Amino acid sequence: MLYVVILFLFAAITLYFLLGGADFGAGIIELFTSNDNKHRTRKTSYQAIGPIWEANHMWLIITVVILFVGFPTIYSEMCVYLHIPLLIMLLGITARGTAFAFRNYDAIKDEKTQGFYNHIFVYSSFVTPMFLGIIAGSALSGQIDPSAKTFAGAYIFSWLNWFSVSVGLFTVALCGFLAAIYLIGECTEVYDIKRFIKKAKAMNIAAVVLGALVFLASHFEHVHLADWIFGNLLSLAAVIAATLSLVLLWFIISDKKNKQWIRVLAAFQVSMILISVGHTRFPRFVIFKDGSSMSLLTDHATGKSIDDLGIGLLVGSLFILPALGYLYYSFKKKGNEAIEEH
Amino acid sequence: MDDFIAARSQMALSLGFHIIYSCIGMVMPVFMAISHYKWIKTKDPVYKNITIAWSKGVAIFFATGAVSGTMLSFELGLLWPGFMKHAGPIFGMPFSLEGVAFFIEAIALGFFLYGWNRLNTWFHWVTGIVVGISGIASGILVVSANSWMNSPSGFDFVNGKYLNIDPLKAMFNEAWFSEALHMTIAAFSATGFAVAGIHALMIYRKRNVHFHSKAFKIAIIFGAAAAILQPLSGDISAKGAAKRQPAKLAAMEAYFHTQEYAPLVIGGIPDTAAKKVNYGIEIPGLLSFLVHDNFKQQVNGLDKIPVKNQPPIAVTHYAFQIMVGFGMLMMLIGVLYFIALWKKKSWFDKGWFLKMFIWTTPAGFIALEAGWTVTEVGRQPWIIQGVMRTSEAVTPMPGIQYSFYLFTFIYFTLSVFVIFLLKRQIQMVPELYDR
């Protein structure tokens, strides 16, 4: 049952990245859109995420619950040493979620308040995935130091280092990339399609550059990322698959018939990156400065809690997955007609 | 500010706000589904308009409740890592199920809000019902986690170790039913009175009277019925507290000295140093009767509990008085409403009758917050009753006060915005919903 729980944990993280991450990306794209086109981008992204955005963010809740029920020591150690980035991420989630809802449900759509919501929305869309990336980077960076004597040593440098920050920026670029790719399929006008293809390419280049930065930073911070990934068959294969899918993506991106395929390829590419990184250190989940680590295979809750959690997740997914599938089907495939709300 | 106090204040603040958002988020869908049903059956467009207007409110509260709930799921660890390290696997079951229920609620809400003219009428209606049911289920599950903290079970505590964990037994702990019942009824009465109060104000001001009257009626029927039922569930809760948490009960009643014919003290100012209550009204034997069903039997007081295990007495006592006071007021108004409905239709046009509901708009939420204060403050100094002290659970990170100030700022800003948005919704009723 432990493996079922671990599988759900990784699945929830991946789905959060692919779906929630793309939601963040929609805000990132909006941030990097010229003022003339902002309105068009906003409309397209609303079409895309309006009905499903609440559901996309539930994967984070599932992730947290799995962590604190199944792996309570890992959860509480992360909460102690990564308190500050977690707090900033939470502020981002709050600001973004409410700004998105408020701008749609404000009964009076005057420019001043709408402009205010938009501002909050785009900046928090940038900050939140950045800090999610920082948290993930910090768990692997080996900078968390439970024996630190100073406040900064224990609670600041655990996450404020070149490696974590570059992982944060890389995450932002990936989210933007995913969103741009997803949005291409939502557009009806050629003008917008061209715009989002351009954005997708720009975000992709940014992701590659920032990915290189992650490797560079890992070198300076003595994180042996290159050894981890290239010295491990599955991780290496995943990275190669990601690269190949990217090449293919660039070839077919302008072809209108391949709307669904480019989405699948982009999602595949990002999942491969996650699998590669996740697998290289598995079962280690958090690595400390002294080289010790917390492992998913040893630092888990005892027998019955894990079993019940596994059963709960399996039964829960019987309800969630079909409903979620039908939600996507109803609003994605079925209707290219505009989503009208009353 | 002391870190421990800051952490407790931040948790209290976060829960205090989250409770309001989530209660409205779980009860409003039920109102919405009733009015939706009436529209499908009668084809009276006013019901459709009410449903749509309310669904906007639900969306606003759901979004705010979802983010404040996300914050809480992290705050448990950010502020109380010592607690979560041990408690997570034991009381995690309701949280996992709550995650599922919440997920289903989000999916159903997506269908409901965007499903007009796209989905089959009855399927659309059912998605609204699912929003309500999964919302209430989420509420009950979270309360079950809280009740475990009040009446821990499903593990053996041996030499500081938590052994033989049984998550299902922990979930169905002794207190879960009474707490879940009391909380669910409270959510209905608080939301019912709040919604009815706002519509009553609009009727009083003669704005869209037909629209607001129909909306008022749906909300107040639930609110009034819940307010009338609530004292019964309160009685179950108090008896449970007497059995499992005598310190909490004694603090609620500011009951210092163990005695037979234990009196019930109404109001008053507890003097903890002198161990007595000044200016309170004492009704001899009533506390014995409420706890044991007879006027004579002895009730254990605070003198049986070591001072280091006693909760803050004054806060718990005042909060309890406020809860009961507002609860009684709402029950009375609920009775008056049903009298008006069945016997005195003419009251509905009277200013005083409407004013009564306008003035009690916040009454339910005041009672609800006071009730939570009783539960949480009354459990102190324990985070897990009798097992772990709150002070053992707090994070080692210093400087929590700044986090507390930040959260205070955020929650107040959020609330200002929610009120601002609701005002604009109501202001736009004539143009958007009731043309």
Side-chain angles (χ1 to χ4, degrees):
Chain A
M1 213 34 115
L2 178 61
Y3 281 93
V4 172
V5 172
I6 292 174
L7 193 71
F8 267 101
L9 175 65
F10 281 111
I13 293 174
T14 309
L15 285 168
Y16 184 53
F17 204 118
L18 294 180
L19 303 168
D23 280 9
F24 291 124
I28 296 164
I29 298 284
E30 197 179 314
L31 179 65
F32 291 112
T33 301
S34 66
N35 279 331
D36 301 341
N37 287 325
K38 270 210 164 87
H39 181 69
R40 301 176 73 94
T41 299
R42 216 169 284 146
K43 212 175 137 208
T44 317
S45 61
Y46 180 69
Q47 291 276 333
I49 63 183
I52 52 172
W53 83 277
E54 289 279 14
N56 286 344
H57 291 270
M58 295 297 150
W59 295 111
L60 178 66
I61 308 258
I62 302 285
T63 306
V64 175
V65 169
I66 294 177
L67 275 181
F68 80 58
V69 179
F71 309 95
T73 37
I74 297 181
Y75 170 80
S76 49
E77 291 293 301
M78 286 180 84
C79 280
V80 171
Y81 296 104
L82 301 176
H83 189 122
I84 295 168
L86 280 166
L87 191 68
I88 298 173
M89 176 203 79
L90 285 177
L91 298 182
I93 288 177
T94 306
R96 186 179 183 280
T98 47
F100 184 78
F102 291 175
R103 82 173 176 185
N104 290 317
Y105 294 108
D106 197 336
I108 302 169
K109 304 257 188 292
D110 58 315
E111 241 169 64
K112 214 172 110 196
T113 34
Q114 285 289 320
F116 180 73
Y117 301 139
N118 289 337
H119 256 88
I120 303 264
F121 177 72
V122 295
Y123 287 107
S124 51
S125 291
F126 186 94
V127 170
T128 314
M130 164 112 186
F131 275 83
L132 279 164
I134 287 180
I135 292 160
S138 308
L140 286 179
S141 69
Q143 303 289 341
I144 297 177
D145 185 5
S147 56
K149 294 282 175 287
T150 58
F151 181 85
Y155 304 109
I156 306 265
F157 298 129
S158 52
W159 56 275
L160 192 63
N161 54 66
W162 289 112
F163 179 72
S164 300
V165 172
S166 51
V167 173
L169 289 170
F170 179 57
T171 310
V172 171
L174 282 183
C175 290
F177 168 66
L178 278 176
I181 294 284
Y182 291 171
L183 288 174
I184 294 171
E186 298 290 331
C187 304
T188 40
E189 287 176 47
V190 181
Y191 176 74
D192 287 321
I193 295 180
K194 283 204 171 130
R195 256 177 356 101
F196 286 121
I197 290 179
K198 243 169 92 184
K199 285 274 179 290
K201 288 182 172 171
M203 283 294 168
N204 194 196
I205 291 167
V208 170
V209 171
L210 290 167
L213 185 70
V214 171
F215 276 100
L216 196 67
S218 74
H219 180 71
F220 286 116
E221 301 279 359
H222 308 289
V223 180
H224 305 291
L225 188 65
D227 294 347
W228 294 349
I229 288 180
F230 299 119
N232 173 314
L233 206 60
L234 185 82
S235 296
L236 184 62
V239 169
I240 292 172
T243 316
L244 289 179
S245 67
L246 192 62
V247 175
L248 187 60
L249 182 68
W250 276 73
F251 270 108
I252 64 166
I253 194 166
S254 306
D255 191 340
K256 262 183 233 150
K257 273 175 278 174
N258 293 317
K259 273 181 182 175
Q260 292 303 328
W261 277 110
I262 57 169
R263 286 182 179 179
V264 172
L265 278 175
F268 176 78
Q269 195 220 345
V270 172
S271 320
M272 282 300 129
I273 293 173
L274 291 177
I275 287 177
S276 169
V277 177
H279 184 261
T280 155
R281 292 291 83 194
F282 186 81
R284 278 157 286 212
F285 202 76
V286 177
I287 300 170
F288 294 109
K289 196 155 194 167
D290 61 5
S292 65
S293 60
M294 283 192 295
S295 151
L296 293 173
L297 292 181
T298 50
D299 295 297
H300 57 79
T302 45
K304 211 150 186 222
S305 300
I306 284 284
D307 291 347
D308 288 2
L309 176 63
I311 293 167
L313 289 167
L314 286 171
V315 174
S317 53
L318 287 183
F319 287 96
I320 291 173
L321 294 177
L324 194 62
Y326 190 60
L327 181 73
Y328 281 96
Y329 172 77
S330 299
F331 291 106
K332 292 278 137 193
K333 274 215 131 154
K334 218 165 143 188
N336 264 342
E337 73 259 47
I339 289 166
E340 268 302 321
E341 236 194 297
H342 277 266
Chain B
M1 189 188 253
D2 176 44
D3 282 321
F4 176 54
I5 296 294
R8 276 185 61 194
S9 309
Q10 181 179 324
M11 200 67 197
L13 178 92
S14 308
L15 283 167
F17 278 99
H18 180 67
I19 284 166
I20 300 178
Y21 303 137
S22 46
C23 280
I24 297 177
M26 72 195 225
V27 174
M28 284 295 287
V30 176
F31 296 173
M32 203 170 76
I34 302 277
S35 130
H36 194 183
Y37 179 82
K38 290 209 149 195
W39 174 64
I40 295 171
K41 281 287 163 194
T42 63
K43 292 289 166 212
D44 182 349
V46 77
Y47 285 116
K48 186 183 181 190
N49 294 334
I50 291 171
T51 311
I52 292 170
W54 276 347
S55 74
K56 298 293 164 83
V58 169
I60 291 168
F61 278 101
F62 185 84
T64 332
V67 293
S68 62
T70 309
M71 283 214 268
L72 274 169
S73 63
F74 280 97
E75 278 180 274
L76 282 171
L78 291 176
L79 299 174
W80 315 107
F83 166 64
M84 289 309 284
K85 203 188 302 192
H86 299 295
I90 311 173
F91 83 154
M93 194 71 197
F95 278 115
S96 327
L97 296 178
E98 196 262 346
V100 173
F102 195 33
F103 211 137
I104 291 169
E105 188 180 356
I107 295 170
L109 190 67
F111 273 120
F112 186 81
L113 290 176
Y114 295 85
W116 295 98
N117 306 331
R118 286 171 77 96
L119 302 171
N120 167 291
T121 314
W122 284 105
F123 179 75
H124 188 214
W125 182 76
V126 168
T127 61
I129 287 284
V130 173
V131 175
I133 292 174
S134 43
I136 292 169
S138 298
I140 291 176
L141 288 162
V142 167
V143 170
S144 147
N146 176 273
S147 67
W148 176 81
M149 294 161 72
N150 285 309
S151 103
S153 61
F155 65 98
D156 296 322
F157 189 59
V158 187
N159 299 330
K161 288 209 162 67
Y162 298 75
L163 304 172
N164 304 325
I165 293 170
D166 184 346
L168 275 177
K169 224 170 142 189
M171 182 165 134
F172 294 109
N173 57 74
E174 275 183 38
W176 89 269
F177 177 75
S178 58
E179 254 198 53
L181 181 71
H182 201 56
M183 180 67 220
T184 309
I185 297 177
F188 272 92
S189 70
T191 311
F193 269 82
V195 174
I198 292 168
H199 291 293
L201 179 65
M202 293 296 127
I203 302 168
Y204 185 72
R205 289 184 180 165
K206 304 250 182 296
R207 308 242 175 93
N208 305 72
V209 172
H210 183 62
F211 175 94
H212 288 296
S213 302
K214 300 267 187 211
F216 172 81
K217 189 173 172 186
I218 295 173
I220 197 62
I221 284 186
F222 277 95
I228 293 168
L229 291 173
Q230 188 67 310
L232 295 173
S233 95
D235 181 54
I236 302 174
S237 291
K239 287 194 167 75
K243 197 169 130 218
R244 291 181 294 267
Q245 296 174 293
K248 183 189 274 184
L249 183 89
M252 276 154 63
E253 307 288 356
Y255 173 66
F256 290 98
H257 307 287
T258 302
Q259 55 190 291
E260 290 186 339
Y261 299 103
L264 185 79
V265 182
I266 297 172
I269 299 169
D271 182 343
T272 27
K275 297 195 187 341
K276 61 179 180 125
V277 182
N278 298 321
Y279 316 113
I281 304 164
E282 274 195 17
I283 306 171
L286 192 55
L287 186 60
S288 289
F289 178 75
L290 288 175
V291 173
H292 298 299
D293 290 326
N294 76 65
F295 289 98
K296 180 170 182 243
Q297 198 172 335
Q298 174 179 303
V299 175
N300 288 339
L302 285 161
D303 52 0
K304 294 263 183 182
I305 293 143
V307 174
K308 67 175 176 124
N309 291 348
Q310 285 181 7
I313 294 157
V315 176
T316 315
H317 180 67
Y318 294 140
F320 183 65
Q321 303 300 310
I322 292 171
M323 177 187 80
V324 173
F326 278 96
M328 290 295 166
L329 177 70
M330 285 156 66
M331 182 179 79
L332 185 73
I333 293 177
V335 170
L336 287 177
Y337 173 77
F338 283 113
I339 294 175
L341 188 64
W342 288 318
K343 297 272 175 216
K344 302 267 184 195
K345 288 261 191 265
S346 61
W347 286 0
F348 286 113
D349 304 320
K350 299 259 167 32
W352 65 266
F353 191 73
L354 287 169
K355 269 190 193 156
M356 203 167 67
F357 293 99
I358 298 167
W359 282 106
T360 46
T361 304
F365 281 103
I366 296 172
L368 193 123
E369 296 284 359
W372 270 98
T373 310
V374 173
T375 316
E376 295 297 283
V377 176
R379 193 190 58 239
Q380 303 302 326
W382 304 103
I383 192 164
I384 309 172
Q385 178 73 39
V387 176
M388 183 191 276
R389 283 172 185 275
T390 315
S391 57
E392 297 168 62
V394 72
T395 177
M397 191 177 101
I400 297 297
Q401 66 199 64
Y402 300 104
S403 158
F404 168 57
Y405 299 145
L406 193 67
F407 272 77
T408 310
F409 169 75
I410 289 167
Y411 276 114
F412 275 98
T413 318
L414 269 185
S415 302
V416 168
F417 264 100
V418 169
I419 293 168
F420 169 76
L421 284 163
L422 286 184
K423 265 190 96 167
R424 306 236 284 197
Q425 287 285 348
I426 294 161
Q427 185 188 336
M428 294 299 280
V429 162
E431 277 133 272
L432 291 176
Y433 309 116
D434 191 31
R435 284 175 289 253

